[in-house]
Amino acid sequence: MSETPSSVKITPTHGTRRFRRACSLTVEDDALVVTDRKGTVRRFPLNQGPTSPAVSVMISATPFEAFRSQRTIVDGSGEILVLCYVGDWDAVEWLEFERAAGLPKDVELSGEPKTRLRQDGLVLEDGTWWRWAPQAGTLAFVAAMITGAGVVPAVLGSIVVLGLVVYIVVALTSGAYGKGRRGKGADAEEAFAAGDDHAWDKLIEEATKPLPEKKTDPPEAAT
């Protein structure tokens, strides 16, 4: 995450390299600038009425349901402008983003994940193709065994196995299974695990303390 007195930008900490490099949320010049992994950019002016970002809402599953917890940015009319997932972003950096955008926090329990956005809204989501790499590994092993036993022609079996192996290699080198980017929240989690409550409290306090008011030059006197 990068930060200057006039702007705050956060990027995902987990997922493929393309996702982490392309996707971002930026608060600058009194606007929220959102970029998804395909490079699509949306700019939402802040504090401009019901169409502006109004609240940051975390969507959690009800006790008898299960889905990935979501983060949403909702406008003043209740429509979703931004939808992403909790595990993809650093928790402390997200607090700093909320503070910079002036967005209050809320939590909603839901029986199903949110999918409906405003017409100009964006979903900040990584590609899902790489998640099947473990299953592809199993299929490659089974295909190799069947081919070796002569159940399927060697040429056909070899093509299937080779295709699955290429898929696995591409998935593993995409960065999705790496450690990703280390965010500020990692320091907070380590401090908490080590029993250092002071360090934990300090990190959270820094992330949530009010930003200093912007100084504006007085209007020039009429001549």
Side-chain angles (χ1 to χ4, degrees), residues 24-46:
S24 66
L25 289 164
T26 305
V27 179
E28 63 178 7
D29 299 328
D30 296 320
L32 169 59
V33 182
V34 186
T35 307
D36 68 10
R37 70 184 184 92
K38 296 180 181 179
T40 305
V41 180
R42 295 284 188 271
R43 186 181 185 89
F44 303 108
L46 295 167

Side-chain angles (χ1 to χ4, degrees), residues 26-77:
T26 305
V27 179
E28 63 178 7
D29 299 328
D30 296 320
L32 169 59
V33 182
V34 186
T35 307
D36 68 10
R37 70 184 184 92
K38 296 180 181 179
T40 305
V41 180
R42 295 284 188 271
R43 186 181 185 89
F44 303 108
L46 295 167
N47 305 315
Q48 297 294 318
T51 61
S52 291
V55 61
S56 173
V57 184
M58 185 172 73
I59 311 298
S60 296
T62 54
F64 299 104
E65 301 295 335
F67 57 82
R68 293 180 69 195
S69 294
Q70 299 171 303
R71 293 193 186 279
T72 62
I73 305 300
V74 180
D75 69 11
S77 299

Side-chain angles (χ1 to χ4, degrees), residues 174-189:
S174 70
Y177 289 99
K179 294 182 179 179
R181 180 178 66 80
R182 181 182 176 88
K184 291 185 177 181
D187 296 329
E189 291 170 2

Side-chain angles (χ1 to χ4, degrees), residues 147-222:
T147 302
V151 177
V152 297
V155 174
L156 178 60
S158 298
I159 292 174
V160 172
V161 172
L162 179 60
L164 290 169
V165 169
V166 169
Y167 178 95
I168 295 167
V169 171
V170 173
L172 293 177
T173 56
S174 70
Y177 289 99
K179 294 182 179 179
R181 180 178 66 80
R182 181 182 176 88
K184 291 185 177 181
D187 296 329
E189 291 170 2
E190 289 179 0
F192 183 78
D196 190 346
D197 294 338
H198 175 72
W200 166 271
D201 292 340
K202 184 177 180 180
L203 284 166
I204 300 302
E205 180 183 356
E206 286 293 322
T208 56
K209 70 180 181 181
L211 290 172
E213 294 185 5
K214 294 182 179 179
K215 294 182 178 180
T216 56
D217 295 328
E220 296 182 0

Side-chain angles (χ1 to χ4, degrees), residues 11-25:
T11 59
T13 54
H14 295 85
T16 59
R17 293 186 184 90
R18 177 183 177 182
F19 178 60
R20 288 184 275 119
R21 291 171 180 171
C23 190
S24 66
L25 289 164

Side-chain angles (χ1 to χ4, degrees), residues 68-191:
R68 293 180 69 195
S69 294
Q70 299 171 303
R71 293 193 186 279
T72 62
I73 305 300
V74 180
D75 69 11
S77 299
E79 294 190 279
I80 297 176
L81 301 176
V82 181
L83 188 152
C84 53
Y85 295 90
V86 170
D88 294 338
W89 304 81
D90 180 87
V92 173
E93 292 177 1
W94 189 271
L95 289 173
E96 293 180 336
F97 158 72
E98 290 174 329
R99 175 190 61 173
L103 298 175
K105 297 181 287 291
D106 197 3
V107 177
E108 177 183 336
L109 292 178
S110 176
E112 58 185 15
K114 300 293 183 180
T115 58
R116 186 174 181 179
L117 281 71
R118 203 171 80 179
Q119 187 176 4
D120 56 348
L122 283 181
V123 177
L124 307 186
E125 181 179 38
D126 201 356
T128 58
W129 62 272
W130 52 269
R131 301 180 192 277
W132 298 99
Q135 291 86 339
T138 301
L139 288 175
F141 176 76
V142 172
M145 294 293 291
I146 292 175
T147 302
V151 177
V152 297
V155 174
L156 178 60
S158 298
I159 292 174
V160 172
V161 172
L162 179 60
L164 290 169
V165 169
V166 169
Y167 178 95
I168 295 167
V169 171
V170 173
L172 293 177
T173 56
S174 70
Y177 289 99
K179 294 182 179 179
R181 180 178 66 80
R182 181 182 176 88
K184 291 185 177 181
D187 296 329
E189 291 170 2
E190 289 179 0

